Amino acid sequence: MDMPLVFKRILLKLSGEALAAGKGFGVDTKRVEEIASELQDVHSLGIQIAIVVGGGNFFRGTEQAEMDRVAADHMGMLATVINALALQDALEKLGIYTRVMSAIEMARVCEPYIRRRAVRHLEKGRVVILAAGTGN
């Protein structure tokens, strides 16, 4: 007998370091594929998944003391977009529709974050990956 779901929607925070798989820098595609496979298992249960992805595997603004804080934060936000696109690619190769949404407008790369649109994507069974913040 199937057990009822405890949660119908989850928000996962995925660090950039998790995507680097111990290499310290960049994206380990094998590890990203493993994470995508685990997400596929959860998604197949009918659970709506939103993911906030970090960018520490490319850039960590808090370690740049000599750099303007706003510039460093923007660079870190852009690093999250790189990770979001890598995760989107791995999920879509498994047949899972995804949407990358960002507080920074990048129309050719991802959608702007609009809360109601994100919820609608989730309701349609898409995985929503939040990159570069939500502007909240």
Side-chain angles (χ1 to χ4, degrees), residues 37-60:
S37 178
E38 292 175 16
L39 290 167
Q40 180 183 37
D41 292 342
V42 174
H43 186 262
S44 71
L45 298 172
I47 296 173
Q48 299 172 5
I49 304 171
I51 304 165
V52 174
V53 64
N57 54 325
F58 287 107
F59 187 82
R60 189 165 293 285

Side-chain angles (χ1 to χ4, degrees), residues 77-123:
M77 292 167 75
L78 292 172
T80 70
V81 175
I82 294 169
N83 287 334
L85 295 173
L87 186 58
Q88 178 183 40
D89 180 67
L91 286 165
E92 291 195 342
K93 284 179 179 172
L94 296 174
I96 299 171
Y97 294 109
T98 68
R99 294 295 184 270
V100 174
M101 302 184 88
S102 165
I104 299 174
E105 287 194 40
M106 293 182 238
R108 303 231 188 262
V109 177
C110 55
E111 295 181 26
Y113 175 77
I114 300 169
R115 190 185 82 68
R116 287 184 179 180
R117 183 181 286 178
V119 169
R120 187 67 182 131
H121 285 317
L122 292 169
E123 291 170 348

Side-chain angles (χ1 to χ4, degrees), residues 64-79:
Q64 306 300 321
E66 67 283 350
M67 184 178 282
D68 176 72
R69 176 63 193 252
V70 174
D73 286 347
H74 285 157
M75 291 172 71
M77 292 167 75
L78 292 172

Side-chain angles (χ1 to χ4, degrees), residues 21-37:
K23 292 182 178 180
F25 184 83
V27 174
D28 181 321
T29 55
K30 182 171 172 39
R31 181 62 186 134
V32 173
E33 290 168 358
E34 291 168 355
I35 291 169
S37 178

